[in-house]
Amino acid sequence: MSAIIVTGAGGFVGRRLVERLAARGGAVVGIGRGDAPANWPSAARWLKADLANATAYEAALAGAACVLHLAAVTGKASPAEYQRGNVEATRALLGACERAGVARFVFVSSIAAKFVDRRFYPYAESKIAAEALVVSSSIPSVIVRPTMILGPGSPIELSLGKLAGLPVSPMFGDGRRTVQPIDVDDVADALAALAQGADIGDGVIEIGGPDAYVLRDLYARLRTAHGKAGAPRLLHLPLGFFRHTLAAVEKPLLPLLPLTAGQLATFANDGVAAPHPGAKRLLPYPRRVPRAVGPTSPPAPRVSPPFAAPHPAKLQAEFSRNARYVADATPTPYQVSKYLDFHQRRGLAPTNAFDALLLNLSHTGGFGLALADSYSGLFRRQSIVRSKLVLALAILESSPPSFAMLDAPDSGRGFVWIRMAMRGAMAGLSTLFAAPFLLPLQLVLGRTGRQKPSR
């Protein structure tokens, strides 16, 4: 019996799809980069392979009835990672399928591929490029573009649900873009039907749920579904400003950002499926989403981000940067040793993701340090950045040669009042620039832990 192959088989949709196919009988092979997930269906085979390396899996494709390609790089990733994982991997897989004589190819794309405004969104561009490869292939193929996928374990539902559940919910833009979310089990059902021969012809089919909402209404429904009473109080944030600002800081801060400039494209584009005659045949009775979360459902655990102790060379560079900032001084080897010794003995580590973000912002240079300091001075006075600045100043004030300069009265030659006024003005401007960007991030990231004052 010809096999059905599923790439990305251990993922959010892929796991559900494999379970359906295995329950209906027939040979099913799941391909993933890691080991088989826990409780993998005994009726399905697991193949560990990197799709970019066709030799690792090509033999399993021989004469397959259908290959369903779900594997993709999503979420926060660099443009190079999207290109490799979504474009080059699809190219390698299609080549292997052609050589192996695969009868049918189903590619799971994304509704983002039809977004009009795709600025700063390499994920959407990679899906478009992969779709072009599928269309140019000699294999009979179907491209499926699901809308926003919700359901238990949905990453986007988790993210939007957190925003909707806050006392004040950040909304990027006016919240009037229309979305048509689809339940994860409906996506799995539709793909299973295609794998087992449902005929909708070749080409592109977009599938969505039975209801369309503007984003502000989706927030309200998510809030209710997750057990929160009352409509969300929305804090409308300037969408264009945040897209450009996030794009500017993504390269150094990508691991710490809660979202990317590209992901904000959801707030700038409608995400509605175009009518297709095959959609009703695949999903005659689509489920309504979002689902209500029962009272026995355990809340998602809050996990603070891992923090590795900085390398001494990194701490030395940090101290030099902080010393120049607070006192325009160059630390001596003795002062550097005191800074390192304090970290070794007492420790100074971020207590949550927002604290870590401020610290990384300060590491980008003078401007980033000024933004982190001015913002935390007003909104987060016990931040890790301010603790490190206070430590640097204390060491400089208590040891030569900098203590003499810092303790000496100003002679008047430097126009002390003018310098103070200029520094105050710069701090105010830095705060005005940083606050619209950092306040919403503190609202989300700063809830993962409480800051304790350093001693």
Side-chain angles (χ1 to χ4, degrees):
M1 183 180 293
S2 298
I4 296 175
I5 313 295
V6 180
T7 74
F12 174 51
V13 179
R15 177 63 182 272
R16 288 171 166 83
L17 173 58
V18 169
E19 289 173 350
R20 283 161 171 73
L21 294 172
R24 297 175 188 181
V28 182
V29 179
I31 300 178
R33 296 189 66 176
D35 295 328
N39 301 318
W40 178 253
S42 59
R45 176 188 168 197
W46 177 265
L47 178 59
K48 181 178 178 179
D50 182 347
L51 291 182
N53 179 18
T55 58
Y57 58 85
E58 189 166 344
L61 304 179
C66 183
V67 168
L68 298 112
H69 180 29
L70 283 71
V73 174
T74 61
K76 295 186 298 181
S78 68
E81 289 171 322
Y82 287 125
Q83 176 69 22
R84 183 185 185 277
N86 295 346
V87 182
E88 299 308 323
T90 301
R91 190 192 310 276
L93 177 62
L94 284 167
C97 288
E98 289 177 338
R99 293 188 295 272
V102 170
R104 194 180 199 195
F105 192 91
V106 177
F107 175 56
V108 180
S109 184
S110 166
I111 200 67
K114 67 178 281 185
F115 283 178
V116 176
D117 185 352
R118 300 189 302 274
R119 284 177 293 174
F120 319 121
Y121 205 10
Y123 167 75
E125 299 298 342
S126 70
K127 283 294 189 180
I128 292 172
E131 286 187 5
L133 293 174
V134 174
V135 170
S136 63
S137 170
S138 62
I139 307 172
S141 60
V142 178
I143 295 171
V144 181
R145 291 177 180 169
T147 56
M148 179 187 294
I149 304 177
L150 303 185
S154 164
I156 192 167
E157 179 169 346
L158 180 63
S159 298
L160 292 179
K162 283 183 177 179
L163 293 180
L166 292 172
V168 178
S169 302
M171 171 66 73
F172 298 94
D174 59 12
R176 297 187 183 278
R177 297 299 94 196
T178 303
V179 294
Q180 186 186 356
I182 186 171
D183 190 272
V184 59
D185 287 318
D186 281 343
V187 178
D189 288 342
L191 295 176
L194 287 171
Q196 295 182 314
D199 184 14
I200 62 166
D202 295 344
V204 178
I205 179 172
E206 297 171 3
I207 55 174
D211 303 307
Y213 313 108
V214 294
L215 279 168
R216 59 197 308 161
D217 289 343
L218 179 62
Y219 266 39
R221 290 178 179 271
L222 284 169
R223 184 178 175 87
T224 301
H226 288 261
K228 298 279 187 172
R233 296 174 58 193
L234 298 179
L235 172 65
H236 289 279
L237 303 172
L239 178 59
F241 171 83
F242 276 91
R243 293 178 82 185
H244 284 87
T245 304
L246 284 169
V249 302
E250 272 177 19
K251 190 171 183 180
L253 300 180
L254 183 62
L256 295 172
L257 294 176
L259 75 172
T260 66
Q263 289 171 317
L264 290 182
T266 297
F267 296 86
N269 295 271
D270 292 330
V272 178
H276 189 287
K280 192 67 176 177
R281 294 199 295 274
L282 293 177
L283 297 172
Y285 304 107
R287 298 166 175 85
R288 302 197 70 179
V289 286
R291 305 181 190 179
V293 176
T296 58
S297 299
R302 290 179 176 176
V303 180
S304 298
F307 184 81
H311 189 275
K314 185 174 182 180
L315 282 175
Q316 181 174 347
E318 177 186 86
F319 183 36
S320 297
R321 187 166 49 244
N322 291 349
R324 288 195 303 270
Y325 177 76
V326 298
D328 195 23
T330 300
T332 65
Y334 169 78
Q335 291 170 332
V336 170
S337 70
K338 299 300 290 182
Y339 192 81
L340 298 180
D341 181 66
F342 184 92
H343 281 79
Q344 182 178 7
R345 289 175 178 270
R346 304 300 298 271
L348 270 181
T351 59
N352 56 44
F354 183 73
D355 223 21
L357 187 148
L358 283 179
L359 183 60
N360 275 268
L361 180 62
S362 74
H363 287 172
T364 61
F367 181 62
L369 179 53
L371 291 180
D373 176 39
S374 59
Y375 177 85
S376 58
L378 187 61
F379 296 107
R380 195 172 179 84
R381 295 186 63 82
Q382 293 181 341
S383 69
I384 186 71
V385 170
R386 288 186 64 83
S387 296
K388 286 175 177 281
L389 290 174
V390 169
L391 173 62
L393 186 59
I395 292 173
L396 294 172
E397 283 185 324
S398 59
S399 56
S402 52
F403 81 95
M405 176 192 68
L406 291 171
D407 291 343
D410 191 278
S411 63
R413 60 179 174 79
F415 302 100
V416 60
W417 295 110
I418 295 177
R419 293 205 312 273
M420 290 176 63
M422 290 182 62
R423 183 148 190 164
M426 291 301 297
L429 289 173
S430 296
T431 304
L432 286 174
F433 182 85
F437 170 59
L438 292 175
L439 265 175
L441 298 181
Q442 181 178 352
L443 192 64
V444 178
L445 296 177
R447 294 164 64 86
T448 58
R450 291 187 179 273
Q451 179 72 22
K452 297 180 180 179
S454 300
R455 298 182 184 273

